Amino acid sequence: MRKNFVEELRWRGMLAQMMPGTEELLQREMVTAYLGTDPTADSLHIGHLCGIMMLRHLQRCGHKPIILVGGATGMIGDPSGKSQERNLLTDEALRHNQECIKAQVAKFLDFESQDANAAEMVNNYDWMKDFTFLDFAREVGKHITVNYMMAKDSVQQRLNGTARDGLSFTEFTYQLLQGYDFLYLYQHKGVKLQLGGNDQWGNMTTGTELIRRTLGNEVETFALTCPLITKSDGKKFGKTESGNIWLDPKRTTPYRFYQFWLNVSDDDAERYIKIFTSLEKDVIDALVEEHKQDPGRRTLQRRLAEEVTVMVHSQEALDAAIEASNILFGKATKEALEKLDEQTFLDVFDGVPQFTITKDQLGQVASELFTETTKVFQSKREVREFLKNGALSLNKEKLGDDRAITADDLIDGKYLLAQKGKKNYYLITVK
């Protein structure tokens, strides 16, 4: 008996709406379904993860997932979001982004399987690039009325002034382009179901309507959406003050990635562990119960952060992120500091007071460097008190006396980390 994909999404809180007959189709046969993503960057961010997890669950329930990279549609901009029109990408940039995205998605989906439900990646640029405007108007445009397109919520919002710039013809045709993707994939790949975020519902149903009007009423295709994920305070999920949380470790270090999940609220952790992990229901129910017994231990957040970090990065990356996290709160050594790459080092000490000095200011004794050159301490007397009590550390090693601080003390050739007591850190950058 095939595992019920709709039921799986339902208990995980990942089902917003679906067309009638969708669940019956999925129980009746192996279904090929697709989900589109935008290739304007060479990395996905965690805002894409809900859709990718839908594809993961789909494949695990015995169906075939196709991820569509919107090389053509990504150049235009979608009126269902707040996006403005986008820049045309070169063919080379598009292919680069596509390969990077496939490498990331391959951690979630099995592209190498010998089974019939092996995952595939396609790019709509491949079938749109030679499609002339006249052909498009004749083959696609004639099937969908302007009245039908105007009735979509995404179009109405832009026309009624919620967007300052109105709606260009290019963006207006977006739903036809996306609809044609569905038609093309139905004809060439046997795709019967489109998955997406709930803001895509209008575009997705245009696709099913285009297929019906082009190929006849007896052809049935379906759409299913996941809710837009928000934080418990209603704000957009995945955005931080420093921007998106990316899946690419060069854009967001595994340490910062791990910390993002570790620091979500209790309510969010309970929702996110269902959406962003593949843990089974009984395991999650037990974790929720354990968390309620002692919320201070942050059981849910820890397991969530571990599962997602391993899935996106690796077990080694998780171990390194946990080790980096312990530097602030545990008894780490200078060796532990030196093992960190520069960006992770800066991420760990992001938010601590920072000072910048020049190389010729090195060579001063600690009491001068930490009072006159930087303001780590208020006075030299305070420095000496901390030294006497063994409460002043440099680079995680206790300073025994008021000695000179030299270039030999630098971490990565440019940083000094002063620590007063257990919790007060100061980062000094030497330029």
Side-chain angles (χ1 to χ4, degrees), residues 44-50 237-239 244-247 257 260-261 276 308 312:
L44 300 175
H45 54 74
I46 59 174
H48 296 107
L49 269 186
C50 185
F237 162 77
K239 289 274 189 180
N244 283 320
I245 303 292
W246 298 91
L247 305 196
F257 186 88
F260 170 83
W261 299 102
F276 299 112
V308 186
V312 170

Side-chain angles (χ1 to χ4, degrees), residues 122-134:
V122 296
N123 189 332
N124 63 9
Y125 184 66
D126 293 336
W127 58 81
M128 292 305 301
K129 66 178 185 290
D130 298 322
F131 205 172
T132 70
F133 180 76
L134 289 176

